[in-house]
Amino acid sequence: MALQGPAKTVAQTVSVVIFMGALAWASVPLYDWFCRVTGFGGVTGVSQVAPEDVLDQTITVRFDGSLNNHMPWEFKPVVREMEVRIGESGLAFYEAYNPTNRPIAGSASYNVTPYQAGGFFNKIQCFCFEEQVLQPGERVQMPVTFYVDPEIVDDRDGKHIHTITLSYTFYEIDLPEDTASVQDSDANSDTSLN
């Protein structure tokens, strides 16, 4: 039995609303997937190993570190710039310091500029793949291992890129349950002693 008149209009409207809701729900993961596959917006690639093909050409990689407005850490690259051969694995370190009297968990977002380089910049190992927890007064150096794909020299836009900037921004996140529960039990024992 086919719907007629107002019932048909209501069914179509509900279908459109459900379809639009599904698109909105799926848009973030789809956009994230698209950026990771294409390097769009400066999103880097992820790889297990560097390629075997290492070119004689070099490229300069600059490092930048910043913090979200409410993140109390100190965060910076250990070395601001390095020159690597295209295809060669590079290793850089960022330093983070928690000057507060409480543990703080952080997570890093990242991108590269120029954005066209995103599809050619690949990370093998990175502190940004997992959350970081720093105890009060703790200072750590966090590594990132990367390479620039040799295909950059054959790309119409990529072959004109001579400098890539890798930027990280740390923001505070909730403490993992195990760390938060230890902190809560320490606070409770301190108050019971008083």
Side-chain angles (χ1 to χ4, degrees):
M1 173 173 103
L3 295 175
Q4 299 293 324
K8 183 176 182 181
T9 303
V10 169
Q12 289 174 335
T13 303
V14 168
S15 297
V16 168
V17 169
I18 290 172
F19 177 72
M20 296 303 283
L23 280 179
W25 177 80
S27 64
V28 172
L30 286 174
Y31 181 75
D32 183 57
W33 171 80
F34 172 77
C35 290
R36 290 184 188 282
V37 168
T38 64
F40 181 78
V43 175
T44 67
V46 177
S47 180
Q48 299 297 316
V49 294
E52 293 180 15
D53 188 21
V54 177
L55 307 180
D56 288 332
Q57 291 174 262
T58 62
I59 194 160
T60 300
V61 180
R62 292 185 179 150
F63 304 97
D64 180 49
S66 63
L67 298 166
N68 177 279
N69 290 340
H70 304 291
M71 180 56 140
W73 286 0
E74 295 173 13
F75 176 66
K76 65 182 181 181
V78 173
V79 174
R80 296 273 177 200
E81 176 177 300
M82 69 172 56
E83 192 170 316
V84 295
R85 291 170 51 202
I86 296 175
E88 175 184 48
S89 179
L91 175 63
F93 289 90
Y94 280 77
E95 183 176 274
Y97 171 63
N98 178 3
T100 71
N101 61 358
R102 64 184 174 92
I104 296 176
S107 183
S109 61
Y110 57 87
N111 72 343
V112 297
T113 52
Y115 292 148
Q116 299 91 329
F120 302 102
F121 194 94
N122 293 279
K123 290 189 279 187
I124 299 170
Q125 176 190 6
C126 182
F127 58 87
C128 60
F129 295 157
E130 50 196 54
E131 66 188 19
Q132 305 294 321
V133 178
L134 295 186
Q135 298 302 318
E138 184 177 10
R139 183 181 306 271
V140 296
Q141 288 195 353
M142 300 176 288
V144 57
T145 307
F146 64 91
Y147 69 90
V148 178
D149 194 315
E151 290 182 11
I152 196 170
V153 299
D154 297 324
D155 184 73
R156 182 179 55 139
D157 297 321
K159 65 184 174 185
H160 301 293
I161 297 172
H162 303 290
T163 302
I164 297 174
T165 302
L166 175 62
S167 299
Y168 288 96
T169 301
F170 253 106
Y171 54 94
E172 187 171 358
I173 59 174
D174 292 334
L175 284 170
E177 284 187 31
D178 57 339
T179 306
S181 62
V182 167
Q183 184 181 11
D184 291 341
S185 66
D186 288 347
N188 290 339
S189 67
D190 287 345
T191 57
S192 65
L193 294 174
N194 293 334

